[in-house]
Amino acid sequence: MASSSSSYCTRWHAMFYITLAVILAAVSISTTLSSDSNSDSDSQTPQSSTAISHVISLSASRTLRSSGFTITAALLQISPELFLTSPNSTIFAIADSHISNASLPPHLLRDILKYHTSPVRVSIEDLINQPQGSCLPTLYRNKTVAITKIDRRNRTVQINRVRISHPNLFQEGSVSIHGVPSPFAAVDTEYDVIHGPECDADFGVVSGSGGLKKKKKKTTSRVEWARIVRLLSSKGFVSFAIGLHSVLDGIVEDERNVSSVTIFVPPRLELGGDRHYPQALLEKVVRFHIVPQRLTHKELMALPARTLLKTMVHGDQQPLEVTGVVSFMPELVIDGVRIVAPDTYVSESVVVHGISRAFEVNDLPNTQ
């Protein structure tokens, strides 16, 4: 019985270390390729700074390994440039089980690690002293994570609703490391994006001093985008809801002055049968289904045939054309596509119409 148990443990450890080796190799290669593409800027890094980073990474790796964060420890030792790309860093080390069980391509695994690394140094004390709802910058596409709960009495903090289980795991020089039991966000492999909760717009971004960097006041849109995403998902338009959510930052930033929209929602986003959606292509397709004015079904029916509707695609190179109602199609037709679920959602600023299929977008970006 003892030998059987010992054999099982040996097999389990072997499988774990094989998985660990694959993860480390994949992420290390991915990081190396990314670093090579930026070799000109890297060559300007002072040698003394590189040496300091190497010393800190070795010390941090030992601490992480002794606390059970083996994968992050190994990555930090093998590829410190994945985490230490700024003068200051805070790393939220993810538990080994959640990394080893994640069936992600190397570039997405690298991105999730970057999403758990901030270019500012904050201790648990710094986090506790922030207002709840404050934002923390990350190394992933200028995205931020949110301080969603602070319990000052018990000295606990949640980031994106995940409790920091190992606060102040490592505090040395310009680096701070905390352990977390699970990732801060879900990864959508179909759309090649990381979905995390948005920060509270009423608060600022935590700066390198541990304080808040005040946000510039922005004109807030009257369009209830977050509600629209939830509504679309609840009504079965899941793929479009995910696509809209993933490009929402750019739309909100560019279309602040838009006070109303009409959204034509297809049952699925079918882009040439490919399941990998480059961000530029996805954003153009989503924008092409949004008209920056409110048009109910009755108002669309009243428009003359061949009326052109401007979309949110920049440059307006391909407006939508109102075909109208033709004899062999009882439904209203827009750009050759039938409206099969008119006025699915109507508010003061938004109208959503369900359409039979996605509109065809000309001159799509290169998907290679």
Side-chain angles (χ1 to χ4, degrees), residues 138-296:
T138 73
L139 297 181
Y140 173 69
R141 297 183 181 177
N142 297 318
K143 295 285 186 181
T144 55
V145 293
I147 303 175
T148 48
K149 187 175 182 180
I150 299 173
D151 185 343
R152 291 183 173 85
R153 182 176 180 180
N154 295 312
R155 299 181 61 76
T156 60
V157 176
Q158 288 185 13
I159 305 290
N160 284 16
R161 302 185 185 90
V162 177
R163 183 175 177 270
I164 296 178
S165 57
H166 294 69
N168 291 348
L169 195 59
F170 179 84
Q171 302 286 309
E172 185 176 317
S174 60
V175 178
S176 178
I177 301 179
H178 311 283
V180 293
S182 60
F184 288 155
V187 179
D188 184 352
T189 55
E190 182 176 0
Y191 287 90
D192 199 16
V193 291
I194 295 173
H195 298 297
E198 298 295 326
C199 290
D200 192 325
D202 293 333
F203 294 102
V205 178
V206 178
S207 68
S209 61
L212 287 180
K213 181 174 65 179
K214 296 298 181 182
K215 286 185 175 180
K216 295 179 180 178
K217 288 187 177 180
K218 296 182 179 179
T219 304
T220 56
S221 173
R222 290 172 53 192
V223 180
E224 60 269 32
W225 291 110
R227 185 177 180 183
I228 293 169
V229 171
R230 291 193 298 270
L231 174 92
L232 293 175
S233 182
S234 68
K235 289 188 175 293
F237 300 105
V238 178
S239 65
F240 192 88
I242 292 173
L244 177 59
H245 181 271
S246 68
V247 301
L248 203 50
D249 287 349
I251 291 177
V252 172
E253 180 69 23
D254 296 339
E255 314 294 343
R256 291 183 213 159
N257 296 323
V258 172
S259 58
S260 62
V261 295
T262 300
I263 307 177
F264 298 97
V265 187
R268 277 197 60 81
L269 286 180
E270 308 247 355
L271 308 182
D274 192 357
R275 295 182 65 81
H276 180 76
Y277 301 87
Q279 193 76 1
L281 176 126
L282 179 61
E283 182 163 359
K284 184 168 185 178
V285 171
V286 170
R287 283 176 176 270
F288 190 57
H289 288 75
I290 304 175
V291 173
Q293 65 181 111
R294 182 184 182 277
L295 293 166
T296 64

